[in-house]
Amino acid sequence: MQSSKQAIADSSTKLLKKEETTISLDNSRPGRSGLDELVPSRYALKVGEIDVMVVSDGVLSLPGAMLGHNVDPAVRGAWLENNFLPPDVLEWALNVVVVKSGDRTILIDAGLGADPDLNLPRAGRLIQRLEAAGIDLTSVTDVVLTHLHMDHIGGLLVGGVRGPAASRPADPSSGGRG
């Protein structure tokens, strides 16, 4: 009988092999890794006929005290330590989802954006990561916002983003919506 640890290791290996073959939604560039990245900044999977890709916009370093700010600092510190996390900085992963279904390419959230005044060198990389995945911004037909925090809408405020979306004619079958 196979041990549970071995079964997990085997399934992880199978998952990694599958990821290598489905890393890109664009079939003309299968398996292309990100530009100058140590690890892939995206994960793709198929749900029936729909392609889904999670794309990293980067990492936001936040003060550890922002996590559970109303909790006793000793309790928060113990929890972080028990989870092998540093007490002073919380590394918050910023991710966006791209869904390709038929002739639609849907961007779910738009990332943080790349405002140099924010001084966030490890965040705001969505445009470069979409390009590395073979997704041209002009191919995005729809944008869905889950909520209006800056790390979800900031990418809409970046120069060059509004132009491609605004320059497409409205789809007459959508009742005038773009």
Side-chain angles (χ1 to χ4, degrees), residues 34-76:
L35 305 172
D36 300 322
E37 294 180 315
L38 297 175
V39 297
S41 60
R42 58 194 178 273
Y43 177 78
L45 62 133
K46 230 170 166 35
V47 180
E49 296 298 314
I50 299 171
D51 290 305
V52 179
M53 181 182 289
V54 178
V55 181
S56 170
D57 187 32
V59 176
L60 188 58
S61 298
L62 300 171
M66 285 186 74
L67 179 68
H69 60 88
N70 58 344
V71 174
D72 180 300
V75 172
R76 180 181 53 244

Side-chain angles (χ1 to χ4, degrees), residues 75-118:
V75 172
R76 180 181 53 244
W79 183 87
L80 289 166
E81 184 178 332
N82 287 339
N83 287 282
F84 305 102
L85 297 169
D88 53 341
V89 176
L90 175 64
E91 300 293 350
W92 193 265
L94 304 173
N95 295 308
V96 171
V97 176
V98 178
V99 176
K100 189 168 175 96
S101 179
D103 64 346
R104 310 302 288 191
T105 300
I106 304 156
L107 183 65
I108 301 176
D109 289 328
L112 184 65
D115 184 346
D117 293 334
L118 293 176

